[in-house]
Amino acid sequence: MTNDIWAKVLTALKGALGANSFSSWIEPLEFSQLAGGVATFHVPTNFIGNYVSQNFGDQIIYHLNQHGQNVQRLQFDVPKLTKPAAQKQTERVASKPSGDDEIAGSPLDARFTFDTFIVGKPNELAHAAARRVAEGGPITFNPLFLYGGVGLGKTHLMHAIAHELKQRSPGLNVLYLSAEQFMYRFITALRERKMMDFKQLFRSVDVLMVDDVQFIAGKDSTQEEFFHTFNALVDGQKQIIISADRAPGEIKDLEERIKSRLQCGLVVDLHPTDYELRLSVLQSKVAYYAAQYPGLQIADGVLEFLAHRITTNVRVLEGALTRLFAFASLVGREITLELTQDCLSDVLKASDRKVTVEEIQRKVSEHYNIRLSDMIGPKRVRNYARPRQMAMYLAKHMTSRSLPEIGRRFGGRDHTTVMHGVRKIEELKALDSQIADDLELLRRALSE
Ligand SMILES: Nc1ncnc2c1ncn2[C@@H]1O[C@H](COP(=O)(O)OP(=O)(O)OP(=O)(O)O)[C@@H](O)[C@H]1O
C-alpha cells in the first residue's frame, strides 16, 4: 500500500470518526507495512494500539478495503527506538496534563461565536443560558447542561461561551474538551503514574466545559474520575458546562450519582429547527459565501426552498449550501431553483421522504420473505439475523433515529447491537455484490 492510499484512508476515517477521535487515536498511527492481509502500524504505546484495535479496528479495515486493499487483520507494534514523529505525537497528547500551568483543551473553532449563532424559538432558552454564563458574573446555575440532537449547535454555543469568557477576562483559565479527550487524558495519566498532576490541573481551571458527555457512559473508572473532578470544581465555585445528545436522565449506563449531579444546575435543550430558524441560518451563511465567491448570483426563492425542504439539522443545511456554491462556481452559473434541484437531488430526496423504521422493517422482511415478528424477535439464526442487520443499516442511513432509538424498535436491543449490525453490513456491502444490490433495491423502493 502506498502512502498516498493511506492518506486517502485517513481522510475517510476522519470523516467517519470525527475530528476528536481522529486526532486522539488515528493520527498517532504510523503505517508500516501490508503483507499477507495483515496491515501493521507503529504506535507510540501499547495502550494506544489496544484501544485503536478494539474501538476502531473494524472501521480501519473497512476503509482500507474500500480503497482497494485486501486487509483481514491489523497489527500494532511499539518500535523499540521510538521514531521522532511518534514521539512528538505522544508528547503532544500525553504529557500536556503534566506540563506547565496552561492546559490546552480541544481547539476552539474561531467561527463559533455568539455573533454567528442564529437565535430562534427552538434554541432561545439554550442561547440565553449560554449568554448568561458567558457574562462570567456570579454563578447562578452549575452545571449548565445543554442537550439536543446532532448538528443543532451545542458545540457552537460552548465555543461561543469560551470565546466570550476569554475575551472578557483574558486571565481566566477556561478549559473546553470533549468527554473522549477527558478519558484519554485520564487514562494516559494513570498509565504514566501522573494522576496527581492530572487532578491538580483539572481542579485548577476556572471554567470546565465537557462536550458529548454521553461518551463516558459505561466507562467506569473515567466516570468515577469525572465525578470527583466535577465535585471538586463545584465545591470550589467554578463554572461547569456540559453537553450531551440527550437529557442526563436518559443517558444509559451513566452512574446515578452523576446523573443527579448533572441535573442540579440548569438543563436546557436545543429543539429541532423550525422553518424560520433554518431560513435565518441560510441567509447569514449566504452573506459569508457571497464574499467568498464574488459575482455568484442566487435567485429569489432558493433559500426559502431549501429551508422548507431540508429539515434535518443545521449541519446538513450548511453542507447543502457549501455544495451549492462550489458547484455553481465550477459551472459558472447563477444559483437557480433548477440548479439547486440538480445539485442537491440526493439531499433533497433524503429529507423529502420521511421513511420510518417500521416501513424499513416491513419492506426488508417482505424482500427476504420472513415474518416481521422474526425480524424484531430474538432469534439469531442467519436467515433472520442478516435481514435484521440490513434493516438496521437502512434505518441508520435513511432515518434520523439515533442508534438507541433504532435498537428500541428492534425488540429493545442495545445500541451496540445496532452498531455492530450496521458495521457488518458496511463490511459485507464491499465484499458481497448480492448484498450491495439488495441494499440498492431496498433503498430505491423505500425512497419512492
Ligand atoms: N443556531 C445556529 N446558528 C448558526 N449556526 C449554527 C446554529 N446551530 C448550528 N449551527 C452550525 O451547525 C453546525 C453543527 O453545529 P454543532 O457542531 O454545534 O452541533 P452539535 O449540536 O454540537 O452536534 P454534534 O452532537 O453532532 O456534535 C456548526 O457548523 C454550527 O456552526
Side-chain angles (χ1 to χ4, degrees):
M1 179 171 68
T2 61
N3 281 336
D4 259 15
I5 294 184
W6 177 235
K8 284 187 185 147
V9 173
L10 284 176
T11 310
L13 284 168
K14 192 170 187 174
L17 306 176
N20 273 331
S21 299
F22 181 82
S23 70
S24 301
W25 307 106
I26 308 294
E27 259 178 11
L29 306 183
E30 197 187 315
F31 173 68
S32 160
Q33 61 159 340
L34 172 58
V38 182
T40 308
F41 296 87
H42 291 320
V43 281
T45 63
N46 280 327
F47 167 73
I48 293 187
N50 291 340
Y51 189 91
V52 170
S53 165
Q54 275 168 25
N55 292 279
F56 308 115
D58 288 351
Q59 298 240 35
I60 297 175
I61 293 176
Y62 169 74
H63 285 287
L64 284 167
N65 289 326
Q66 282 289 80
H67 284 80
Q69 309 304 302
N70 180 10
V71 179
Q72 274 109 41
R73 204 159 60 75
L74 303 179
Q75 188 170 308
F76 298 94
D77 285 345
V78 181
K80 292 246 159 32
L81 268 173
T82 317
K83 298 218 162 107
Q87 196 175 7
K88 218 165 106 211
Q89 182 66 30
T90 2
E91 274 162 16
R92 187 172 72 74
V93 287
S95 70
K96 261 275 152 54
S98 59
D100 40 49
D101 280 337
E102 195 220 345
I103 326 170
S106 305
L108 294 177
D109 190 319
R111 294 165 307 172
F112 291 0
T113 61
F114 282 116
D115 285 347
T116 56
F117 190 82
I118 308 294
V119 186
K121 265 226 167 57
N123 58 25
E124 62 183 345
L125 188 56
H127 172 259
R131 278 268 191 205
R132 168 66 68 83
V133 170
E135 283 167 11
I139 295 175
T140 37
F141 30 76
N142 213 6
L144 167 61
F145 188 97
L146 299 167
Y147 76 93
V150 291
L152 295 179
K154 301 180 292 292
T155 302
H156 190 136
L157 273 182
M158 290 179 106
H159 287 204
I161 298 173
H163 285 308
E164 175 112 4
L165 282 170
K166 286 184 171 186
Q167 204 178 1
R168 282 174 191 259
S169 330
L172 207 65
N173 200 348
V174 180
L175 177 65
Y176 164 87
L177 81 176
S178 63
E180 189 170 5
Q181 274 279 336
F182 179 86
M183 181 184 97
Y184 183 75
R185 280 160 175 252
F186 166 60
I187 291 177
T188 309
L190 269 184
R191 182 167 43 78
E192 296 185 343
R193 301 181 204 286
K194 289 183 174 158
M195 270 315 288
M196 284 316 288
D197 293 348
F198 175 93
K199 283 180 192 289
Q200 213 171 340
L201 277 162
F202 269 89
R203 282 152 180 68
S204 71
V205 300
D206 297 310
V207 179
L208 176 68
M209 305 189 178
V210 181
D211 208 348
D212 288 324
V213 79
Q214 75 276 354
F215 180 85
I216 64 165
K219 315 223 165 48
D220 294 344
S221 49
T222 306
Q223 286 196 53
E224 173 88 21
E225 189 55 36
F226 176 76
F227 182 72
H228 295 314
T229 307
F230 187 100
N231 288 342
L233 288 173
V234 171
D235 287 348
Q237 296 278 306
K238 305 294 166 68
Q239 179 73 57
I240 300 176
I241 303 153
I242 307 281
S243 89
D245 63 352
R246 68 203 64 192
E250 311 234 308
I251 305 178
K252 221 179 138 223
D253 295 332
L254 192 65
E255 280 181 33
E256 282 308 321
R257 56 181 185 163
I258 297 186
K259 282 185 191 171
S260 70
R261 277 285 170 165
L262 293 175
Q263 282 158 339
C264 275
L266 180 66
V267 178
V268 276
D269 63 340
L270 288 129
H271 296 279
T273 58
D274 60 12
Y275 173 79
E276 282 76 22
L277 180 63
R278 292 195 294 273
L279 187 59
S280 311
V281 167
L282 287 169
Q283 282 162 342
S284 79
K285 304 279 173 200
V286 159
Y288 168 77
Y289 282 117
Q292 280 208 329
Y293 299 94
L296 211 58
Q297 301 287 320
I298 183 156
D300 285 348
V302 169
L303 297 187
E304 288 77 3
F305 171 78
L306 289 176
H308 191 66
R309 294 282 296 272
I310 301 180
T311 53
T312 352
N313 64 49
V314 182
R315 189 177 288 128
V316 176
L317 209 56
E318 277 184 350
L321 207 60
T322 310
R323 245 169 83 181
L324 198 52
F325 271 89
F327 183 70
S329 85
L330 262 180
V331 295
R333 275 165 47 197
E334 182 190 0
I335 302 178
T336 56
L337 262 181
E338 198 188 354
L339 181 123
T340 306
Q341 276 164 328
D342 271 2
C343 168
L344 300 176
S345 60
D346 54 338
V347 184
L348 292 169
K349 212 164 178 182
S351 47
D352 212 24
R353 262 283 282 124
K354 286 239 155 47
V355 183
T356 63
V357 177
E358 289 71 19
E359 268 175 89
I360 292 174
Q361 291 170 333
R362 208 169 331 115
K363 266 272 183 310
V364 175
S365 41
E366 275 167 25
H367 182 86
Y368 287 105
N369 212 6
I370 64 170
R371 278 200 301 265
L372 192 56
S373 56
D374 286 328
M375 149 136 341
I376 298 165
K379 290 189 194 144
R380 285 175 174 211
V381 284
R382 160 117 19 126
N383 283 356
Y384 303 133
R386 194 68 84 226
R388 189 182 295 138
Q389 290 172 333
M390 297 278 276
M392 287 173 173
Y393 174 92
L394 289 165
K396 169 78 178 56
H397 289 276
M398 297 189 76
T399 74
S400 54
R401 297 284 178 201
S402 64
L403 295 177
E405 283 172 334
I406 295 173
R408 275 201 288 282
R409 286 168 174 74
F410 280 84
R413 286 180 161 81
D414 190 58
H415 75 280
T416 51
T417 310
V418 181
M419 193 154 67
H420 172 77
V422 172
R423 285 201 184 143
K424 187 84 217 166
I425 298 299
E426 252 155 15
E427 262 170 50
L428 288 175
K429 196 172 69 146
L431 307 170
D432 182 339
S433 62
Q434 182 62 49
I435 297 246
D437 290 349
D438 283 0
L439 272 182
E440 189 48 37
L441 205 76
L442 284 162
R443 195 195 281 274
R444 252 188 267 142
L446 285 159
S447 315
E448 273 163 7

